[in-house]
Amino acid sequence: MDNVSQERVRLSVAEARALAMQALGVLAGSGDDAEKSYGYLIIAIKPDLLVPLEDYRRQLSEAIARIKATPRQAGVEEIRIPSERAFRERARNLREGIVIDRKIYDALLALPDRHPPAG
């Protein structure tokens, strides 16, 4: 082994997280070309294979509650978790509908129905 691989490296928590994200990016294909800085990686985990589902849900709910209870900076009304705003917007749009330009609406209505008849 060379000296570099034998050295112990100390990383801050932020650096370790950044390295982990970079490693996942390489798995997604973003590290194989200098011109390509993106990739797609989807990981699906079935939590109850690792821990009882009730424990997982309880611990996750507790973690989210701790995050949301973090003191906010001035001007910050709420601490949100990823996708929380999108879920709220989707629910509101389903409930209230969306506003679109009349020309777009008319163009959508004019499109031919591409679905085969049911039955």
Side-chain angles (χ1 to χ4, degrees):
M1 293 185 138
D2 60 21
N3 289 338
V4 174
S5 61
Q6 292 179 8
E7 274 185 40
R8 287 189 170 252
V9 177
R10 290 187 180 266
L11 298 176
S12 71
V13 172
E15 290 168 328
R17 287 180 183 152
L19 182 58
M21 292 300 100
Q22 183 65 35
L24 290 173
V26 170
L27 284 175
S30 68
D32 59 357
D33 187 340
E35 297 295 317
K36 184 177 170 191
S37 61
Y38 62 90
Y40 301 97
L41 175 66
I42 299 171
I43 300 174
I45 299 172
K46 191 171 189 290
D48 60 341
L49 292 175
L50 304 170
V51 296
L53 190 56
E54 301 78 28
D55 292 348
Y56 171 77
R57 288 181 173 160
R58 179 183 46 76
Q59 290 178 27
L60 185 57
S61 293
E62 290 170 0
I64 290 170
R66 282 193 306 274
I67 291 167
K68 289 181 154 291
T70 302
R72 298 182 235 351
Q73 293 183 352
V76 175
E77 294 180 23
E78 176 187 24
I79 296 172
R80 294 188 309 246
I81 59 171
S83 299
E84 189 172 13
R85 185 195 59 79
F87 289 142
R88 284 185 191 162
E89 286 290 314
R90 184 172 195 268
R92 185 181 60 79
N93 290 340
L94 288 170
R95 188 177 58 252
E96 300 173 11
I98 61 171
V99 176
I100 62 172
D101 186 88
R102 173 54 91 172
K103 288 181 181 180
I104 294 172
Y105 179 78
D106 292 339
L108 290 171
L109 288 179
L111 290 173
D113 185 4
R114 300 206 183 254
H115 298 287

